[in-house]
């Protein structure tokens, strides 16, 4: 739901401005609104940022930047708890200055050593494979050795290159390739000295970077160079371990403190930046902003406790137009919250409109369940969702998405019971289950009618919410139009049912008169757009046929899996083949029903009432 | 003959919207990928846009079923 907000004004003596800002920052509920000076006299001005504050800002910026860089260089500390320091930030900054140079030096050394060890390893792999070729050439006196690296997926480049080199050197070359790691292949090339310059020109022309042999080994015989490189690699690796150990020790001692300093600097910078949005008179400051209405007492109590009568906290009396400018704070029950992920693809809803999250939390898994409708598939999707939710617990959006899949799995199990499906018809074949509601394979016509019925209900419900939205915003004409749309669509549906003889004949004439009357009124009120919107509503309802279409194809594919499995003749092969087709169907079930169900929410349902144009609630918080 | 005509009509009811859907999705898909390269946060909207023309083939499928079942 979208929380009710209230706008408040805080007025107090300028001497207590800094403490007041700190208190509001601590309370973490105020969405600051810049104080408007429109219509105010000269006695009220914006608060200028004094030189002292600007100097402090420069220092804080430096601390923030430096701590951020240092934290990047250090690994995570062994103790993950947050450091709660009581010391002065300026004192900690002096300590940071002392450690800064040490960490920088060690980090650079670590990077150099890592690069050197990697290079030496690459060369060793390449050159060791090249030794037999070198002896075939009878030493390397008359040859120039060049090294290259190529992405493994682009090794066809080597063949093309070899063709060119063959032309340039008149076949006086030797080439050796060897994989260096998963993605890179190394190439060593020996060409006659007289052709070396031309080959290098070719590399330059093609934009190929040559791998340079470390200078100290360039003049040495191959075997000696390999030996020397191996020794240096061991030496560098040992030093690397030591450097990493030292950095880890520093990290355990400093990381938490650096994080604290970074957080403190960020908080203080935010407090300075907030000043620009406030106003002042000669002796007082004025702060304005929005808070959730249920936090008002808490804010008032805390300000009273700290500042007594000196600071005044009062609520604004707002007009309907001003209220509509309130920031939008969406707050739902814990189990509904993962479904807020669907709103992330949409602009923020308008303040005062209906938050669709609880409705999506019901309808999305329900539609998914009706489409998949299989106990086996539901259990697998649910368990997969649970497992991935655990794996992705640190990534908020993906974790929420996985929670949605868990709900979808549960819904698929529920509808699986109603349709009597366990891996298609397997449950029924084994006499474990029977359709309670209807058999999706045999009663496709019923499935089609039920899908359209669901569509009619969903779209009409959407139009009713649209009516409620407009009524709440006191836009009476638009509310009336929504209500007329509701009855126009409803009367049209009744007439359609009459066409199939599903309603008593006596109803037709009055409903037809209602339909025509509303149609004329709507055309007068809304013009051509009204007609277009009516046709759109009908096509929206027809669009729910997809529930039947995708659902039927899912159950038919499951049936195919079982039939193909049965026809294999061998139990093991049969089960394997059936399982593979079921897995494929589950993968399709993860994609298609998700997209179709999502589309039904976004286009057909939300299109009837969702109003964007709100600004998100961003409280001033630590 | 009637059965053959019905089958042919049902096939057309699926095939023509399927071609139309494919054409529309190819246009939306390529434009969508272009938009995603600039603004990756539009992923959700692009998926929905790509799914929109599917209505044609899905309704075609329902019509085909009604032709065969009639």
């Amino acid at each position: 739901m979208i929380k009710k907000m209230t706008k408040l004004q805080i007025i107090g003596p300028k001497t207590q401005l800094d403490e007041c800002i700190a208190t509001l920052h601590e309370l973490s509920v105020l969405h600051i609104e810049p104080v408007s000076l429109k219509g105010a006299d000269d006695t009220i001005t914006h608060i200028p940022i004094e030189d002292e504050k600007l100097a402090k800002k420069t220092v804080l910026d430096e601390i923030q930047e430096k701590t951020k860089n240092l934290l990047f260089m250090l690994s995570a500390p062994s103790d993950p708890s947050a450091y709660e320091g009581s010391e002065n930030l300026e004192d900690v900054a002096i300590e940071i200055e002392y450690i800064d140079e040490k960490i920088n030096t060690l980090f650079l050394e670590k990077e150099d050593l890592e690069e050197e060890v990697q290079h030496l390893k690459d060369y060793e792999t390449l050159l060791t494979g090249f030794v037999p070729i070198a002896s075939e050439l009878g030493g390397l006196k008359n040859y120039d050795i060049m090294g290259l690296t190529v992405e493994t997926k682009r090794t066809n480049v080597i063949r093309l290159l070899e063709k060119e080199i063959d032309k340039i050197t008149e076949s006086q070359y030797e080439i050796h390739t060897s994989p260096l790691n998963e993605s890179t292949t190394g190439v060593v090339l020996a060409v006659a000295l007289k052709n070396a310059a031309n080959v290098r020109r070719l590399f330059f022309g093609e934009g190929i970077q040559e791998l340079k042999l470390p200078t100290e080994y360039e003049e040495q015989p191959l075997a000696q160079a390999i030996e020397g490189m191996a020794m240096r690699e061991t030496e560098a690796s040992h030093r690397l371990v030591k450097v990493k150990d030292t950095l880890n020790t520093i990290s355990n001692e400093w990381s938490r403190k650096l994080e604290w300093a970074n957080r403190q600097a960020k908080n203080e910078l935010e407090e300075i930046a907030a000043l620009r949005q406030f106003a002042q008179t000669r002796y007082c400051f004025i702060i304005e902003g929005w808070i959730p209405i249920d936090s008002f007492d808490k804010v008032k109590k805390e300000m009273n406790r700290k500042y007594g009568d000196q600071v005044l906290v009062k609520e604004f009396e707002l007009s309907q137009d001003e209220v509509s400018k309130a920031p939008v704070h969406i707050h739902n029950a814990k189990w509904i919250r993962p479904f807020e992920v669907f709103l992330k693809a949409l602009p923020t809803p308008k303040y005062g409109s209906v938050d669709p999250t609880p409705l999506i939390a019901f309808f999305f898994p329900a539609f998914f369940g009706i489409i998949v409708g299989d106990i086996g598939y539901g259990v697998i999707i649910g368990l997969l969702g649970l497992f991935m939710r655990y794996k992705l617990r640190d990534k908020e959006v993906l974790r929420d998405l996985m929670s949605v899949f868990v709900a979808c799995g549960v819904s698929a199990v529920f509808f699986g019971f109603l349709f009597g499906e366990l891996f298609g018809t397997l449950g029924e074949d084994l006499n474990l289950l029977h359709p309670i509601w209807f058999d999706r394979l045999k009663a496709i016509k019923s499935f089609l009618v039920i899908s359209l019925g669901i569509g009619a209900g969903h779209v009409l419900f959407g139009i009713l919410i649209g009516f409620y939205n407009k009524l709440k915003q006191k836009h009476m004409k638009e509310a009336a139009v929504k209500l007329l749309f509701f009855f126009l669509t409803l009367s049209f549906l009744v007439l359609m049912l009459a066409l199939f003889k599903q309603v008593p004949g006596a109803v037709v004439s009055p409903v037809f008169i209602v339909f025509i009357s509303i149609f004329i009124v709507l055309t007068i009120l809304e013009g051509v757009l009204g007609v277009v919107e009516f046709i759109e509503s009908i096509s929206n309802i027809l669009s729910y046929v997809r529930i039947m279409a995708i659902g039927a194809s899912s159950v038919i594919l499951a049936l195919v899996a079982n039939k193909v499995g049965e026809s294999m003749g061998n139990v093991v092969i049969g089960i394997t083949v059936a399982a593979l087709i079921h897995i494929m169907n589950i993968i399709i079930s993860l994609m298609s029903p998700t997209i179709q169900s999502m589309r039904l929410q976004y286009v057909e349902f939300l299109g009837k009432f969702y109003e964007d144009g709100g600004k998100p609630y961003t409280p001033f918080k630590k | 003959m009637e059965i053959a005509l019905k089958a042919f009509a049902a096939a057309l009811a699926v095939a023509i919207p399927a071609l139309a859907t494919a054409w529309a999705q190819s246009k939306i898909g390529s434009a969508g990928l272009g938009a995603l390269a600039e603004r990756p946060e539009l992923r959700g909207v692009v998926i929905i846009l790509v799914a929109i023309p599917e209505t044609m083939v899905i309704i075609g499928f329902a019509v085909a079923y009604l032709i065969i079942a009639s």
Side-chain angles (χ1 to χ4, degrees), chain A residues 345 445 545-546 596 599 602, chain B residues 45 48 52 54-55 58 62 65:
Chain A
K445 202 170 177 181
V545 171
R546 70 189 62 235
Q596 300 305 338
R599 178 226 144 101
Y602 280 132
Chain B
V45 180
I48 298 302
I52 281 178
E54 275 176 21
T55 312
I58 284 167
Y65 170 75

Side-chain angles (χ1 to χ4, degrees), chain A residues 460-471:
Chain A
L460 286 173
F461 184 41
I463 299 175
L464 271 187
I465 299 171
F467 162 69
Y468 172 73
N469 263 347
K470 296 294 174 197
L471 205 63

